[in-house]
Structures are given as structure tokens and as C-alpha cells.
């Protein structure tokens, strides 16, 4: 393979730099002197090249050099990003280094290094993990201008050993042509922060959101040589948002180096101006929101008890307009249909915001990055994400805020069809419900079937552009009319007022929306692993009961179509393939034998936890603990992967045995 002259010289330069870095020349000189002194006979005047190479190989120099030279294949086709502006995707340190060797010299990059942490006092007493021992870990997730990164997991400690580098592309298409490098002044106008989310993962793979921090990186533009070191104090989340959880040491470096740096005064002035403009916009919106609320209460005093949510607190305890939590989000090629998007949101875990002590539900709407990195969240987080995805598919979607049975506050999604059809989407289950309003005055109302949806009252609906308060005489969902253009039924907020604080780039306090990332889970490998673990658990359980276990692989394999059919039905609401499955089972079960099967669905991959849950079902326990003649057991696991490494795990236990009367 021949290289062009410029590439050949570049390769020579890289090799030279690597050899200099390892001080190979100095080591060769030492070995040469040693070899001449020890091995050269007095009558021999010169040392051959072969003798020198043998000496170098004997002392391990050649092996050391070869270890340092990593030959990688940059196969672009293997990993397609979910959007055109996602050059590095969801990457760890290794792929960041790979990207670093292929940087575009006409682009500006910010090299962000995390050089350890300290003062994570919650882990002060944590013992040093033994080699190979499972322990809780910290993972740092970053988002910057449509690029996502993830650090290597490090053991939780008072001083966690973070040592990762991330190459963030600053240059943007509309910041100049391909031949013109973005200068300091141009980059000073880029107000996007680096959003950093710290996740803790325990030994059972349960994740906890530790901190969410917005790093202002532009201080590097005013530092000498375009390099600066920062000490970042991370604060807790929710009720602990005023408590420090730890400190990260961060180094920022511009690449290529800046020809001309700005004065720190210019940078500080720009940041102060942005904060001032944002504060003024937020103040004006607050004044408007108060006026809107007064007018809303004047329509009917009972409106005071309705769930009309104009502001919501994020994980850092900051009040933000609810419309800022929603934005049209395109999933690229990761999700094909709105219903598949609903299934993806459904398999993300559900967890209410943690609260210390009593006092009801804790208020916490997470930013999208925190929700995705933790892989679980409250009903509002699910509803906001589903609404954003449906808006991305071109539907007229809104988040609804109201109550379920017993007055429990809840959020779900609604879409309005062009023909006036109203569809409710439950983001926690993926179910869809058609809404037909009923009038309590109609004599036939008592005869009408009870609606299938679980929602009782509705206070408001919103998306990224609109906010409407329900001002109908009753806030009951059953009797509600969703003609959103009728101001006698829905009181709208000014779209201009919403746009002033919620439109992209309107204020610097708005967290940018990250792109979705492809799953890193191998579905086949994970399915096999869980299945093998379950076989072991079943065999041990039966052994404790004094029962032998005989597995039938063919019967296990025959369960696969059923699991695929269940997932297809969850995604599309269409049942298919059941006839073939039933026919195959009838053929596999001889006359005089009985077949029993039990399917169950999980959104986590912990086999032991799933098995414990299965045993709580009397029907499943009956299969696992089956006694009889010629008992044959089967288990099949099928993992279906979704973006963000979310997954639906289907398990079916089955048995067949000879019926003895």
C-alpha cells in the first residue's frame, strides 16, 4: 500500500514523536554500549545490525515499542450516528482518542480533561475495592453541541480516579466556510454550556443521579496559550441541590491553539451581558405569568384547585417554564415510528423523585440528559420525552397535567389529529386511548361505557410553543372538550411570551437537548447470559426442593416466536404469529402430556431479581416447581434493545409432563 508524500511525512513525524516520547534512542545507545563492552571480542572491530536487533529484542525494547503503537481500523460504517451533527456519538475514552487522531484541521476543538476528583465525602469510609470485586462506580456523562460522551466507570471513593479526555467540536457549519477557522470572537458568541451529569451505579446495576452541572467553558478564550485549569464544585440534586457532593479538577485546552486570545475582561463582560439579558427575559415572563394566572382565577374561583403548572423545578432546584422541557426531537434512524418511540419511552425505568421523610411527592422534572443517562425518571420526564419525540414525527402533541384515580397528580401525552381525533398516550405503559367527550346532561350518559383510560382530571396542556389552561366548568377528562382554539374552554398563554424564554437560544439558562444514542447492548449475547443464569437459578431452586431438573433445548427454542410476538404487539398493538406458535407446541407435546407456559416482561437485566419476581407468581412457581412423570423444563429469554441502552426483556418459563390421573 503506497501513501501520498504528505501522509508519509506525517506518519514519519508521528513515529519520531512516539520514539522520542519513549526515549528509545537513549535506551538503544545504552544497550549498544553495553553489548560492545560485554559481547564484542577484542579482535572484532564492528557490530552487525543482526547482533544489535537481537540485543534489543532480548531486552524487550522492540516489544515495548510495538505495544505503544496501536494499529486501529476506523470503520465508519460500523457505527452510524443518530443525526448528521453527531460526529463522535456516544463514546468512551478509547474512541475519543481514536477520534483525536482523525480531527479536521479546519475545525476548532475544545479538549476537556477530567483529572481526578476529591471531597466526595459520602464515600469517605468506603473501603478500597479488592481486584475483581464488584463495587459501586461513578460515570461522567457529557453533552456539548449535539455531541455525547461517557467516561470510563471508576470506583466510588472520596477521591475518585477520573482520568478521561473528551474532544468537543466547537466549530459549526454556519460559523464560516471550510477554509476559515472560527476565531476567539466568534467562539465567544457560542453560549452553549458543557452539560455534565454524574451517575452512580451500584453493584446491582441500579443508577442514581448524583449531580448535574453546566460548565461555562469560554473562560479558556481569555487564558494564556488557550489552556486553563478549573476546579468545579458539584452540588447535589433535588432536596440536596444546595449541598456539595464533590469537586472535579478539569483542564480545558483549545485545539488548534488560539492565535490570539481575548482579554479576561472581554470574556467576563460578554458573560455578564448574557446573564443580564436572560434575567430580564425571565423577569418579564414571570410578570406576564402572574397576570395570566390572576385572569385565570377571575374566570372561576374553583380554578385555584386545578393542576395548572406553569413552572417546574429541575434536578438543580431551578424553576423553569414547563414549555422549556419539551422540544421537537428527531431520533434519526434509531426509531422508525411514533409507536416505537412510545415503546422506547415506556421501557425507560419509572422512579419517583426521592424524598427525605414524609410530606407527599417531591417536585423534580429532570433535564433530558439527566433522564437519559440515569435511564429512569418520574412520569413527567417520560411524558416530556414522548411529547418531544411525537413532535419530531410531525404530530400535534401536548403534555397533559392532571390527576389519576384518588387524585394522584400525573402527566401524560395527547395528540390531536387533523380530523379532530384526540388520542391519549400513557408514557409509562405505551398504551394509547381514544377520547370521546361525554356530556353529563345527555340522558344516555349513564348508559355510555366507562372510559378505558385512567385519567380523572386535567388542568392544563402544553408543548414547546403553547400553554393552555382548562377553563371549562368541569375539569373531568371524561366531559372535557379538546377544542384548543376555543378560548372559552382553554385559556391560552401568549405564544410570543413563551417564545421569549423557551425558544432555542432565547436564553442562556436553557439546557440544550441532546441527541439520542444507539444501544451498546448486544441483544443475542445478553439474552444468552440471562437465560443461562436463569437455568442455574431454577436448577438450584429445584435441588433445594429435592427435585431433579431436565432441560429440553428444542422446547426452549420453540418459545422464541411467542416472545417476539409479544414485543411486536406492545409496539404496534397488532397481534401476529400466534397460530404458528400454538401449532408448534401441539406438535412438540405428545399425547397424554400437559404443557404450561408463563411469559413475563421486565425492563432490567438482573436475572436474580427477575427470578425472585417470577417466584411471587403462583402460576410461574407451579411451572418451576413442577412435579410429575417425565417432567421437561424450558426457559427462553429475548432481549429487545432500544436507544440509550434501554431494553425490554421477555422471559418465558414452560414445562411439559405426563398427566397421571
Amino acid at each position: 500500500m503506497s501513501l501520498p508524500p504528505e501522509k508519509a511525512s506525517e506518519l514519519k513525524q508521528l513515529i519520531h514523536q512516539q520514539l522520542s516520547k519513549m526515549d528509545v534512542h537513549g535506551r538503544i545507545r545504552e544497550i549498544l554500549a553495553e553489548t560492545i563492552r560485554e559481547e564484542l571480542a577484542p579482535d572484532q572491530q564492528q557490530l552487525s545490525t543482526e547482533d544489535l536487533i537481537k540485543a534489543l529484542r532480548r531486552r524487550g525494547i522492540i516489544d515495548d515499542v510495538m505495544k505503544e503503537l496501536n494499529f486501529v481500523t476506523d470503520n465508519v460504517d460500523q457505527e452510524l450516528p443518530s443525526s448528521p451533527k453527531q460526529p463522535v456519538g456516544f463514546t468512551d475514552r478509547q474512541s475519543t482518542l481514536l477520534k483525536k487522531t482523525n480531527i479536521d484541521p479546519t475545525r476548532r476543538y475544545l479538549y476537556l480533561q477530567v483529572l481526578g476528583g476529591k471531597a466526595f465525602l459520602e464515600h469517605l469510609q468506603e473501603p478500597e475495592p479488592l481486584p475483581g470485586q464488584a463495587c459501586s462506580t461513578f460515570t461522567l456523562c457529557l453533552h456539548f453541541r449535539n455531541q455525547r460522551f461517557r467516561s470510563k466507570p471508576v470506583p466510588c471513593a472520596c477521591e475518585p480516579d477520573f482520568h478521561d479526555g473528551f474532544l468537543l467540536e466547537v466549530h459549526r457549519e454556519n460559523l464560516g466556510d471550510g477554509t476559515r477557522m472560527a476565531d476567539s470572537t466568534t467562539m465567544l458568541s457560542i453560549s452553549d454550556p458543557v452539560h455534565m451529569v454524574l451517575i452512580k451505579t451500584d453493584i446491582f446495576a441500579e443508577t442514581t443521579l448524583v449531580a448535574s452541572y453546566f460548565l461555562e467553558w469560554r473562560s479558556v478564550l481569555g487564558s494564556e496559550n488557550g489552556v486553563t485549569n478549573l476546579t468545579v464544585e458539584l452540588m447535589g440534586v433535588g432536596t440536596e441541590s444546595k449541598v456539595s457532593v464533590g469537586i472535579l479538577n478539569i483542564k480545558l485546552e483549545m485545539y488548534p491553539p488560539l492565535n490570539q486570545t481575548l482579554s479576561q475582561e472581554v470574556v467576563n463582560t460578554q458573560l455578564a451581558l448574557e446573564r443580564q439579558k436572560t434575567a430580564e427575559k425571565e423577569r418579564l415572563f414571570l410578570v406576564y405569568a402572574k397576570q395570566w394566572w390572576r385572569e385565570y382565577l377571575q374566570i372561576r374561583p374553583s380554578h385555584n384547585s386545578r393542576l395548572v403548572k406553569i413552572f417546574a423545578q429541575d434536578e438543580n432546584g431551578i424553576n423553569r417554564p414547563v414549555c422549556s422541557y419539551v422540544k421537537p426531537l428527531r431520533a434519526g434512524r434509531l426509531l422508525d415510528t411514533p409507536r416505537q418511540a412510545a415503546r422506547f419511552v415506556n421501557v425507560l425505568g419509572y422512579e419517583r423523585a426521592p424524598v427525605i421523610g414524609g410530606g407527599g411527592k417531591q417536585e423534580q422534572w429532570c433535564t433530558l440528559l439527566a433522564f437519559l443517562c440515569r435511564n429512569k425518571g418520574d412520569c413527567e420526564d417520560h411524558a416530556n420525552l414522548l411529547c418531544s419525540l411525537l413532535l419530531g414525527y410531525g404530530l400535534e402533541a401536548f403534555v397533559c397535567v392532571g390527576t389519576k384515580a384518588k387524585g394522584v397528580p400525573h402527566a401524560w401525552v395527547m395528540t390531536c389529529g387533523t380530523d379532530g381525533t384526540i388520542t391519549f398516550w400513557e408514557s409509562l405503559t405505551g398504551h394509547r386511548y381514544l377520547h370521546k367527550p361525554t356530556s353529563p346532561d345527555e340522558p344516555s350518559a349513564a348508559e355510555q361505557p366507562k372510559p378505558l383510560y385512567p385519567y380523572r382530571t386535567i388542568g392544563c396542556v402544553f408543548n414547546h410553543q403553547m400553554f393552555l389552561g382548562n377553563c371549562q366548568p368541569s375539569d373531568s377528562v371524561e366531559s372535557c372538550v379538546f377544542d384548543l382554539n376555543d378560548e372559552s374552554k382553554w385559556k391560552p398563554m401568549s405564544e410570543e411570551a413563551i417564545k421569549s424564554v423557551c425558544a432555542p437560544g432565547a436564553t442562556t439558562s436553557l439546557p440544550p437537548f441532546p441527541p439520542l444514542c444507539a444501544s451498546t447492548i448486544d441483544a443475542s449475547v445478553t439474552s444468552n447470559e440471562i437465560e443461562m443464569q436463569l437455568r442455574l437459578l431454577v436448577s438450584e431452586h429445584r435441588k433445594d426442593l429435592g427435585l431433579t431438573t431436565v432441560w429440553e433445548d428444542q422446547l426452549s427454542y420453540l418459545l422464541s416466536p411467542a416472545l417476539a410476538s409479544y414485543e411486536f404487539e406492545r409496539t404496534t398493538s397488532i397481534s401476529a404469529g400466534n397460530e404458528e406458535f400454538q401449532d408448534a407446541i401441539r406438535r412438540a407435546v405428545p399425547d397424554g402430556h400437559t404443557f404450561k407456559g408463563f411469559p413475563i416482561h421486565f425492563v432490567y437485566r438482573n436475572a436474580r431479581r427477575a427470578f425472585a419476581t417470577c417466584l411471587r407468581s403462583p402460576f410461574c412457581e407451579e411451572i418451576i416447581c413442577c412435579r410429575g412423570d417425565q417432567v421437561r423444563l424450558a426457559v427462553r429469554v429475548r432481549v429487545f434493545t432500544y436507544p440509550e441502552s434501554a431494553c425490554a426483556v421477555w422471559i418465558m418459563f414452560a414445562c411439559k409432563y405426563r398427566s397421571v390421573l
Side-chain angles (χ1 to χ4, degrees):
M1 185 183 76
S2 60
L3 286 173
E6 63 275 8
K7 287 284 181 187
S9 62
E10 187 183 335
L11 184 60
K12 284 178 186 174
Q13 182 68 23
L14 284 169
I15 293 170
H16 178 72
Q17 285 174 0
Q18 186 65 33
L19 295 177
S20 302
K21 180 179 160 188
M22 296 174 64
D23 191 25
V24 170
H25 298 101
R27 291 164 73 184
I28 289 174
R29 276 194 293 272
E30 286 174 20
I31 290 167
L32 182 59
E34 199 178 302
T35 307
I36 290 171
R37 192 170 57 249
E38 292 176 3
E39 299 179 17
L40 203 60
D43 58 335
Q44 203 174 344
Q45 295 301 311
Q46 59 182 11
L47 195 68
S48 70
T49 309
E50 287 85 358
D51 293 335
L52 179 57
I53 289 174
K54 277 181 192 171
L56 293 175
R57 186 170 277 122
R58 200 162 54 240
R59 286 163 176 78
I61 301 294
I62 291 175
D63 288 342
D64 289 350
V65 172
M66 294 310 291
K67 277 178 195 168
E68 286 293 320
L69 295 173
N70 291 319
F71 296 98
V72 293
T73 305
D74 188 9
N75 190 345
V76 180
D77 297 328
Q78 282 180 354
E79 198 173 275
L80 286 173
S82 66
S83 65
K85 271 208 67 189
Q86 192 186 352
V88 285
F90 205 55
T91 163
D92 58 16
R93 188 179 177 209
Q94 186 178 355
S95 47
T96 305
L97 291 176
L98 173 62
K99 184 69 188 169
K100 198 177 168 190
T101 61
N102 293 304
I103 59 173
D104 184 344
T106 65
R107 300 277 177 178
R108 280 281 184 210
Y109 294 90
L110 174 69
Y111 187 43
L112 185 153
Q113 294 178 74
V114 185
L115 304 172
K118 56 187 178 183
F120 285 78
L121 299 178
E122 193 176 322
H123 302 278
L124 190 60
Q125 304 299 325
E126 205 130 315
E128 193 81 22
L130 298 169
Q133 180 189 8
C135 65
S136 299
T137 58
F138 281 140
T139 308
L140 197 61
C141 304
L142 274 68
H143 168 233
F144 179 67
R145 298 177 68 71
N146 230 30
Q147 302 159 80
R148 298 268 302 275
F149 300 85
R150 183 190 285 271
S151 73
K152 291 184 301 186
V154 299
C156 292
C158 183
E159 296 187 356
D161 188 27
F162 286 111
H163 276 92
D164 275 289
F166 309 98
L167 199 64
L168 317 181
E169 187 180 335
V170 180
H171 199 288
R172 213 169 37 171
E173 282 84 349
N174 60 352
L175 288 181
D177 56 39
T179 58
R180 186 162 162 262
M181 182 77 73
D183 58 14
S184 305
T185 312
T186 309
M187 288 189 288
L188 188 59
S189 66
I190 300 173
S191 58
D192 302 81
V194 179
H195 190 182
M196 306 169 71
V197 167
L198 185 63
I199 300 291
K200 178 184 175 182
T201 309
D202 68 14
I203 57 173
F204 304 109
E206 288 295 312
T207 55
T208 311
L209 178 62
V210 178
S212 174
Y213 184 82
F214 294 94
L215 176 69
E216 179 49 73
W217 59 274
R218 286 175 289 177
S219 58
V220 74
L221 300 175
S223 59
E224 195 177 345
N225 303 323
V227 181
T228 187
N229 290 286
L230 303 172
T231 301
V232 168
E233 184 179 20
L234 301 178
M235 309 303 280
V237 295
T239 51
E240 299 173 36
S241 59
K242 300 287 185 283
V243 181
S244 173
V245 294
I247 290 168
L248 290 180
N249 296 319
I250 289 175
K251 181 181 179 183
L252 299 176
E253 184 177 353
M254 293 307 303
Y255 185 86
L258 296 171
N259 297 327
Q260 183 182 2
T261 56
L262 303 171
S263 73
Q264 201 62 54
E265 190 181 352
V266 169
V267 175
N268 293 341
T269 304
Q270 171 71 14
L271 300 182
L273 278 170
E274 286 177 4
R275 283 193 294 269
Q276 189 180 330
K277 281 175 69 176
T278 294
E280 181 61 15
K281 284 182 179 180
E282 289 173 347
R283 186 190 68 80
L284 290 172
F285 181 77
L286 181 60
V287 169
Y288 169 76
K290 284 180 176 177
Q291 176 62 29
W292 183 94
W293 178 244
R294 278 195 295 270
E295 292 170 3
Y296 181 72
L297 292 181
Q298 284 169 9
I299 298 170
R300 210 174 276 111
S302 62
H303 285 182
N304 195 32
S305 61
R306 294 190 181 181
L307 278 177
V308 179
K309 193 129 192 81
I310 304 171
F311 294 93
Q313 280 192 359
D314 66 10
E315 66 265 26
N316 291 326
I318 296 168
N319 270 315
R320 291 170 41 210
V322 290
C323 296
S324 68
Y325 289 89
V326 174
K327 175 194 160 187
L329 182 64
R330 288 166 58 175
R333 299 190 185 277
L334 301 179
L335 298 167
D336 295 319
T337 66
R339 294 191 189 192
Q340 198 180 8
R343 178 61 174 153
F344 156 59
V345 175
N346 155 221
V347 298
L348 290 169
Y350 168 63
E351 181 181 83
R352 290 176 62 170
V355 58
I356 300 170
K361 191 171 184 282
Q362 169 66 31
E363 169 78 3
Q364 183 178 306
W365 291 28
C366 280
T367 56
L368 183 54
L369 184 69
F371 176 38
L372 294 176
C373 294
R374 191 169 56 134
N375 243 229
K376 59 186 177 184
D378 213 331
C379 62
E380 293 89 357
D381 303 323
H382 286 79
N384 290 335
L385 175 57
L386 179 56
C387 183
S388 297
L389 287 166
L390 297 183
L391 286 167
Y393 281 111
L395 301 180
E396 189 180 8
F398 296 86
V399 175
C400 305
V401 179
T403 62
K404 293 196 295 185
K406 299 181 182 176
V408 176
H410 190 61
W412 66 97
V413 178
M414 169 184 84
T415 52
C416 308
T418 51
D419 58 353
T421 306
I422 300 298
T423 308
F424 293 148
W425 303 63
E426 177 47 64
S427 58
L428 296 179
T429 62
H431 293 158
R432 298 163 67 253
Y433 309 96
L434 283 176
H435 174 264
K436 292 178 182 175
T438 59
S439 172
D441 303 327
E442 289 180 16
S444 60
E447 301 166 16
Q448 290 181 359
K450 196 177 176 186
L452 296 171
Y453 50 76
Y455 318 120
R456 293 291 174 266
T457 67
I458 182 164
C460 64
V461 300
F462 67 87
N463 62 18
H464 62 304
Q465 293 175 327
M466 299 169 70
F467 183 96
L468 302 118
N470 182 5
C471 53
Q472 295 168 63
S474 167
D475 61 353
S476 165
V477 178
E478 284 183 45
S479 59
C480 191
V481 177
F482 287 94
D483 180 3
L484 302 181
N485 295 317
D486 186 345
E487 293 194 13
S488 67
K489 293 181 171 62
W490 294 92
K491 179 172 172 58
M493 267 196 173
S494 159
E495 289 189 28
E496 282 301 313
I498 293 168
K499 195 176 175 182
S500 70
V501 287
C502 296
T507 65
T508 54
S509 61
L510 278 184
F513 268 50
L516 296 182
C517 287
S519 177
T520 57
I521 296 170
D522 186 318
S524 301
V525 171
T526 310
S527 300
N528 281 335
E529 285 175 354
I530 298 173
E531 194 170 303
M532 289 302 106
Q533 289 169 26
L534 287 174
R535 280 195 176 202
L536 194 63
L537 290 166
V538 170
S539 298
E540 287 176 353
H541 186 74
R542 287 177 62 83
K543 189 178 178 183
D544 291 343
L545 298 172
L547 301 170
T548 58
T549 306
V550 182
W551 295 101
E552 187 171 313
D553 290 342
Q554 177 61 13
L555 185 59
S556 296
Y557 181 70
L558 295 184
L559 304 178
S560 293
L563 301 183
S565 175
Y566 299 149
E567 183 62 21
F568 183 74
E569 188 175 351
R570 286 287 180 102
T571 307
T572 62
S573 305
I574 299 167
S575 180
N578 201 33
E579 301 82 1
E580 293 91 337
F581 167 65
Q582 289 182 357
D583 189 57
I585 293 297
R586 285 193 192 100
R587 288 174 177 278
V589 179
D591 290 343
H593 284 64
T594 301
F595 171 84
K596 289 181 180 178
F598 177 80
I600 191 166
H601 166 256
F602 298 100
V603 295
Y604 52 80
R605 306 189 301 279
N606 187 324
R608 194 171 288 277
R609 181 179 163 195
F611 183 65
T613 305
C614 292
L615 282 178
R616 286 201 285 272
S617 162
F619 195 73
C620 184
E621 191 195 20
E622 190 182 316
I623 292 172
I624 291 170
C625 307
C626 180
R627 297 168 183 265
D629 186 22
Q630 297 179 25
V631 175
R632 298 292 181 269
L633 291 171
V635 62
R636 192 65 170 172
V637 176
R638 179 72 168 87
V639 174
F640 296 88
T641 58
Y642 287 90
E644 300 297 330
S645 297
C647 59
V649 179
W650 282 97
I651 301 171
M652 185 183 262
F653 290 100
C655 68
K656 68 175 184 181
Y657 57 92
R658 192 173 193 175
S659 305
V660 180
L661 294 174

